[in-house]
Amino acid sequence: MSETVRLTPKEMTDLSLKVLSHVGYGPDHARAIAELLTTCQMDDCQSHGLFRLFMCAQTMQAGKIDGHAQPQVAASDNAIVRVDAQGGMSLLAFQKGLPRLVEKTRTHGIAAMAIKRCFHFSALWPEVEALSAKGLAAMAMVPSHSWVAPAGGTRGSLGTNPLAFSWPRLGQDPFTFDFATSAFARGEIELYKRAGKRLPEGVAIDKDGNPTTDPQAALDGAMLTFGGYKGSALSIMIELLAGPLIDDLTSLESMEFAQGTGGAPYHGDIIIAFDPDQFSGARRQANDARAERLFADILDQGARLPSQRRFAARARNTTRGYAEVSAQLHRDLLALLD
């Protein structure tokens, strides 16, 4: 078994703040990022936990991000919240726009937040769960870099293009899913490379368009969408909704913007929130019961709901007061402070 280190939430946050401040992020961005990474790590979400500090450092080293940018929330009289991240990370922009999004959703029944000009590296489930914690259903989606080949293609045109959704449940963890439309998340491939493991069949092609299970060949080539043409079509939809619809970049354009410098992709983020009270015609209690009947029927078959394992990890780690991380990862993160 690999050697691990036990870290409390405070130790995770403190380590993240030290690394982020050391590489050039201002206190507001550092705090927003550190809180997100700690949240993901406490859920044993390894690919989007402390491991992502490397991408944060690489993004700063690439010289394109503003670690001190203050997001601007535009005034509007409709159901759209427009937030300009000003070339900073998306997390602070999301925090700034969230209260306005909740307010507009309660007013109109449905509202959307478009975050523009942001660098994005993080999981989307914290965004949608921030809304389901307010009793709202929500979905979120982003493009990335053009690392993913369309179905039948031989090179990257699409991003990993994750889609997340969260449904509030009274007194219980929400129904949440968050998955990339690529067959594998980019971060998972990087973790496989660090561990010296081969990839499963059918998730990537090399630079010549041939199937590969070599993580490095996959990183040099292209990833594949899940579900063939269905995943490819869904990925293209996300490119459109989180790109041209909100006047921001596609994954191809994000890759061009990076100019080979590495780090987090630069694009937009769209979050759509729904008020069940208004959509159900003031019959929320009855309709919540119908949703719960569906969940119960799924569980009764021995199936599980998305995020069940993540919620179980959260409960376990919260009870014992720490999460375990790879000792090698911990050493590598400390080296960022040198």
Side-chain angles (χ1 to χ4, degrees), residues 10-129:
K10 184 177 186 304
E11 289 170 334
M12 295 178 208
T13 301
D14 288 347
L15 173 59
S16 298
L17 288 171
K18 288 178 183 177
V19 170
L20 293 163
S21 298
H22 180 73
V23 300
Y25 290 91
D28 291 343
H29 280 284
R31 174 60 62 179
I33 296 169
E35 289 174 355
L36 181 281
L37 297 181
T38 299
T39 296
C40 289
Q41 196 67 55
M42 286 296 286
D43 281 15
D44 283 349
C45 188
Q46 304 296 338
S47 63
H48 288 79
L50 297 181
F51 170 71
R52 289 288 167 153
L53 284 168
F54 295 117
M55 178 170 277
C56 292
Q58 292 164 2
T59 304
M60 185 60 69
Q61 290 161 4
K64 290 181 176 288
I65 192 170
D66 183 350
H68 297 267
Q70 288 299 313
Q72 300 297 314
V73 182
S76 72
D77 57 5
N78 57 25
I80 301 172
V81 180
R82 295 176 178 84
V83 186
D84 187 341
Q86 304 278 325
M89 281 294 187
S90 64
L91 300 173
L92 186 60
F94 175 78
Q95 289 183 358
K96 296 284 189 181
L98 180 60
R100 190 77 57 84
L101 177 60
V102 171
E103 174 190 345
K104 285 185 177 292
T105 305
R106 297 206 191 285
T107 299
H108 299 285
I110 184 171
M113 176 158 62
I115 302 174
K116 295 177 54 178
R117 299 204 299 155
C118 67
F119 288 84
H120 194 282
F121 72 90
S122 54
L124 288 177
W125 62 258
E127 293 183 356
V128 291
E129 286 191 1

